[in-house]
Amino acid sequence: MKTLVLYRSKSGFVKKYAEWLAEELHADLADAKTFSGNRFADYDAVVFGGGLYVSGIYGLGIIKRNLKRLQGKRVAVFASGASPPRPETVVKVRNHNFSAEQQAQVAFFYMRGGFDYGKLKPVDKVLMRLLKWRLMFKREKTPDERGMLLAYRKPQDFTRRENIRPLVKYIRGIH
């Protein structure tokens, strides 16, 4: 089965997962920024990964715009964010990004990534600084919010190679 791993990554966590997946699946690897949807015809399986930003998956448009081209193929999307992979979070992200019809065609996976403020572009830094201020002045913080505030001072990397296993099994058709 010829497989493509496609990704969009702002701070490197998604790219790391994409590289691990491409290696494990013996797949082609491409940044979605430079990939033409016409090339989907060359593949039997397509994996897309994007970072999670306010519940939206960065770069997902390339998959959504090409769902007709992807019919009949094994398609998986993974999102990576700093939050732990709690079931309610995964459901929320999946439902926010995909309609019920799209969910029938695309398998969704969540892999915990990390947070590195220093790797963000200026626009993203401004947005994250606003979040930081909001969190700092919040009286009662959740454990995740306290952890997020700590990550501004020290980058956090929660990527683990074993996190790719469920997606690899899906692509290989192992249930």
Side-chain angles (χ1 to χ4, degrees):
M1 177 180 339
K2 189 164 182 185
T3 304
L4 169 68
V5 176
L6 196 59
Y7 70 94
R8 284 303 310 267
S9 185
K10 287 188 177 189
S11 54
F13 302 108
V14 170
K15 183 178 181 185
K16 185 189 296 189
Y17 278 128
E19 289 169 344
W20 287 338
L21 285 161
E23 181 182 316
E24 186 73 24
L25 295 167
H26 307 287
D28 293 343
L29 177 68
D31 186 328
K33 184 169 57 174
T34 59
F35 185 82
S36 167
N38 296 330
R39 293 182 43 215
F40 283 129
D42 299 339
Y43 297 95
D44 305 303
V46 174
V47 175
F48 174 82
L52 199 54
Y53 299 93
V54 194
S55 296
I57 302 170
Y58 179 58
L60 183 61
I62 192 164
I63 295 298
K64 290 180 137 184
R65 285 189 306 274
N66 288 285
L67 282 173
K68 286 186 180 175
R69 285 184 175 145
L70 294 167
Q71 284 183 328
K73 299 178 186 296
R74 191 170 292 266
V75 181
V77 169
F78 73 90
S80 180
S83 297
R86 294 186 186 95
E88 64 274 10
T89 303
V90 174
V91 169
K92 178 183 173 188
V93 171
R94 184 186 67 223
N95 292 341
H96 178 80
N97 287 278
F98 300 102
S99 67
E101 182 180 314
Q102 292 167 338
Q103 289 179 36
Q105 185 179 355
V106 178
F108 176 69
F109 300 84
Y110 178 83
M111 299 180 211
R112 193 169 189 197
F115 181 72
D116 187 341
Y117 184 78
K119 287 186 178 180
L120 298 178
K121 291 183 179 177
V123 171
D124 294 319
K125 281 185 176 183
V126 169
L127 294 173
M128 293 309 294
R129 196 171 306 126
L130 291 172
L131 173 63
K132 179 182 178 183
W133 289 338
R134 188 176 69 85
L135 292 176
M136 285 173 49
F137 293 108
K138 191 175 177 185
R139 281 198 166 154
E140 293 187 31
K141 298 170 185 66
T142 67
D144 287 350
E145 290 168 338
R146 287 192 297 273
M148 188 69 193
L149 284 171
L150 291 173
Y152 280 87
R153 286 184 265 152
K154 182 181 178 198
Q156 300 294 310
D157 184 348
F158 302 107
T159 57
R160 303 290 178 268
R161 191 173 180 120
E162 64 264 16
N163 294 346
I164 70 172
R165 286 184 190 142
L167 197 156
V168 168
K169 284 182 178 181
Y170 171 78
I171 293 296
R172 290 181 175 158
I174 303 168
H175 301 287

